[in-house]
Amino acid sequence: MPAKTDMTTELSLLAVLALLWGASYTFIKVRVETIPPVTFIAARTLIAGAILLAIIRWRGLAMPRDAATWRRFAFQACLNSVVPFTLIAAAERSIDAGLATILNATSPIFTFLLTALITRHEPVTLRKLVGVGAGIAGICLIVGTEALGGLGHQLWAQLAVVAATVSYAGAAIFGRNFRGLDPMLPAAGSMICGAAILIPLSLVFDRPWTLSPSTASILALIGLSVFSTALAFSIFFRLIHTLGSVGTTSQAYLRVPIGVGIGALFLGESLGPTAWLGMGFVVVGVAAMTIPARQTKLAQ
């Protein structure tokens, strides 16, 4: 746990992380217009990994050389980039960036459930249980109306974002295994492994040399790679060690109004009344689970 004098810095970084990841959904929405999901995510991880490697060399650090650490990097890459990035990018071909933000904001709920059921490294409290119930109710309000309406295409897109959220939750917990490493090392290692997995898939399925991406898509890719990936994941791995896994994912409830607001401002998106109600439940649920942690003991 960070010293009291450092807590303001850690919470400021948490807010920055919420801004970076809240903006990412709009970047992705702009990108999916002309670049297929797998190719986009391959480029995103490759660019972010290269930036992080350059910074690591500039700082005089060295990447680990043992196979065990790189196997952990590869597993973290699957949980934190390969699977969720691809699912969200594919889903945003059908759903708005704001809706994807709301659904993905439930990551603290799934982090808590995985923690309570498997790792048990953070305490279970009544308030957190109430928060889980409110968050799940919010998901049902958002997704349930689509299911009842028989809009299968959007339903599967929404479920893909929920699946990505579960993957992020697993990443937040597994990221604790990199304690003792400079935060940039697992961030770079996971990006490099992600690119190594996705580039061959891109070459086989998307044939990127045949694509003609728009200028807006290219700029969105660069912005997402530099700010919402390279910078964001460096902050993420630091906060995992200082605020704990549930504490770090608490940026999700800050991310909701940021992501929805950016989507409305730049993409002209709007939410229906049920989605607004669901968002309210999600924000209340995540806040109920994480505010007590920040007030008392954030890291285990």
Side-chain angles (χ1 to χ4, degrees), residues 1 15 31 38 48 51 60 63 95 129 140 148 183 205 210 228 263 265 288 297:
M1 181 177 177
R31 185 285 318 159
V38 173
I51 292 171
M63 293 295 294
I95 63 175
L129 290 173
C140 291
L148 292 174
F205 294 107
T210 66
S228 298
L265 181 62
K297 191 175 182 181

Side-chain angles (χ1 to χ4, degrees), residues 142-289:
I142 296 167
V143 177
T145 54
E146 300 295 337
L148 292 174
L151 302 178
H153 188 55
Q154 282 201 2
L155 171 63
W156 284 111
Q158 292 173 3
L159 292 179
V161 178
V162 174
T165 303
V166 176
S167 186
Y168 278 138
I173 294 172
F174 188 77
R176 297 172 65 251
N177 291 317
F178 300 110
R179 188 180 299 274
L181 290 178
D182 185 281
M184 280 199 172
L185 300 182
S190 63
M191 289 298 106
I192 294 167
C193 290
I197 294 169
L198 288 165
I199 288 174
L201 296 176
S202 168
L203 295 174
V204 171
F205 294 107
D206 292 339
R207 297 188 299 167
W209 58 89
T210 66
L211 302 176
S212 299
S214 67
T215 301
S217 290
I218 293 173
L219 292 175
L221 170 61
I222 294 171
L224 188 66
S225 301
V226 174
F227 299 105
S228 298
T229 308
L231 177 58
F233 275 96
S234 297
I235 296 173
F236 170 81
F237 281 105
R238 168 177 171 153
L239 294 179
I240 285 292
H241 300 318
T242 57
L243 300 185
S245 52
V246 174
T248 299
T249 55
S250 69
Q251 47 78 28
Y253 79 88
L254 299 174
R255 196 168 69 221
V256 169
I258 291 172
V260 172
I262 291 175
L265 181 62
F266 291 100
L267 302 177
E269 295 179 350
S270 61
L271 299 175
T274 305
W276 278 109
L277 182 59
M279 182 179 75
F281 272 91
V282 168
V283 171
V284 169
V286 175
M289 292 172 57

Side-chain angles (χ1 to χ4, degrees), residues 29 39 53 69 84 134 213 221 263 272:
K29 188 69 176 178
T39 295
L53 280 178
T69 299
L221 170 61

